[in-house]
Amino acid sequence: MTDNTLTRAQLSEAVYKEVGLSRNESADLVESVLKEISDTLVKGQSVKISSFGSFYVRDKKERIGRNPKTGVEVPITPRRVLVFRPSDTLKNKVNNSASNKQFNLNEET
Amino acid sequence: MVKSELIIRLSEMNPHLFHRDIERIVTTIFDEITKSLSKGNRVELRGFGAFSVKERPARIARNPRTGESVKVDDKFVTVFKTGKELRISLNKDNPIANNRSENNPLIDQS
């Protein structure tokens, strides 16, 4: 399962095969896409990718947290967090293929 | 920023490339991520974040308006965990939020 993890290397390879730029340039472009998205989010703006999902930044107020091991109460300072909301298309794809896979497994046995 | 604006910005940064190639690059990236997640595989982009698929078991929920019990089937959801570098950049004007040193009692030091 772990070796099936998709990383930058596989993304660059897919771009390389799809567009026909050099491997180096494909890798650079994957990096630029991620950097452009990150920079936009750091500015506090959201990023919406249709049929994939949207990323947005949420401001968290201070709250009291607790170290689950020691039980010590500590304030968690206000901070900005990134939230990803998958689009309906992504939700459906993740569900359908995942359940199809199980269905096929059941059929084979 | 939406996908088309992302493509425009990348085109401006790469004037030697065709606009439609940039479009294919961006589409390929998100298609590949979607494909991987559909197979139940993780996507790990160091510094940016990681996408994974989690199974949510079937449960009995309640219609909050009527109080009626409703069966909800088990389902698979995509979860995203922000990468360390991006999380730090988001709070770069707020060093306290990034304080993950040994004097922070919330962090498991083991």
Side-chain angles (χ1 to χ4, degrees):
Chain A
M1 195 60 177
T2 1
D3 32 313
N4 289 332
T5 301
L6 184 83
T7 62
R8 279 180 173 75
Q10 286 82 32
L11 280 184
S12 309
E13 189 64 21
V15 166
Y16 166 74
K17 283 187 182 149
E18 181 70 28
V19 187
L21 304 170
S22 73
R23 279 203 160 84
N24 263 332
E25 193 157 30
S26 303
D28 287 349
L29 276 151
V30 170
E31 209 49 58
S32 306
V33 170
L34 296 176
K35 185 167 189 305
E36 225 17 72
I37 296 174
S38 305
D39 289 353
T40 306
L41 292 165
V42 168
K43 279 187 249 161
Q45 293 165 7
S46 54
V47 176
K48 287 181 190 166
I49 308 293
S50 64
S51 80
F52 182 74
S54 45
F55 299 90
Y56 55 97
V57 179
R58 196 178 271 172
D59 279 301
K60 293 279 209 176
K61 281 188 257 171
E62 180 171 284
R63 65 193 167 93
I64 301 299
R66 198 187 289 265
N67 182 323
K69 226 177 225 177
T70 61
V72 182
E73 282 191 353
V74 206
I76 297 176
T77 53
R79 63 193 61 224
R80 292 208 294 172
V81 296
L82 177 54
V83 186
F84 172 68
R85 281 192 53 191
S87 72
D88 285 340
T89 317
L90 179 59
K91 280 185 194 167
N92 289 336
K93 282 189 177 165
V94 163
N95 258 297
N96 292 337
S97 338
S99 39
N100 284 344
K101 205 162 66 184
Q102 282 199 333
F103 179 71
N104 292 336
L105 281 175
N106 291 340
E107 269 201 328
E108 275 163 24
T109 48
Chain B
M1 180 169 80
V2 297
K3 191 173 158 188
S4 56
E5 292 164 335
L6 173 64
I7 293 166
I8 291 170
R9 273 191 225 182
L10 290 158
S11 298
E12 285 166 358
M13 290 162 59
N14 297 279
H16 61 294
L17 296 177
F18 288 117
H19 184 89
R20 61 155 197 274
D21 282 344
I22 304 274
E23 215 171 312
R24 278 165 75 196
I25 290 163
V26 173
T27 305
T28 303
I29 291 173
F30 291 108
D31 281 356
E32 287 297 314
I33 298 176
T34 304
K35 255 196 265 169
S36 180
L37 293 170
S38 309
K39 287 185 223 153
N41 293 334
R42 245 173 88 80
V43 177
E44 198 176 298
L45 303 164
R46 286 283 159 90
F48 182 76
F51 300 89
S52 55
V53 178
K54 276 194 178 151
E55 187 175 0
R56 295 260 185 274
R59 63 192 168 94
I60 306 292
R62 228 169 254 283
N63 180 329
R65 195 172 289 174
T66 61
E68 231 178 310
S69 289
V70 200
K71 259 198 207 164
V72 179
D73 287 340
D74 66 328
K75 59 178 173 184
F76 294 89
V77 294
T78 304
V79 291
F80 177 75
K81 186 172 185 279
T82 313
K84 188 177 174 185
E85 273 176 54
L86 182 51
R87 194 183 59 222
I88 290 170
S89 319
L90 283 169
N91 290 290
K92 62 179 188 298
D93 304 325
N94 176 10
I96 311 160
N98 281 327
N99 182 8
R100 297 182 72 85
S101 63
E102 59 280 0
N103 53 29
N104 187 337
L106 275 180
I107 310 297
D108 187 355
Q109 301 300 332
S110 59

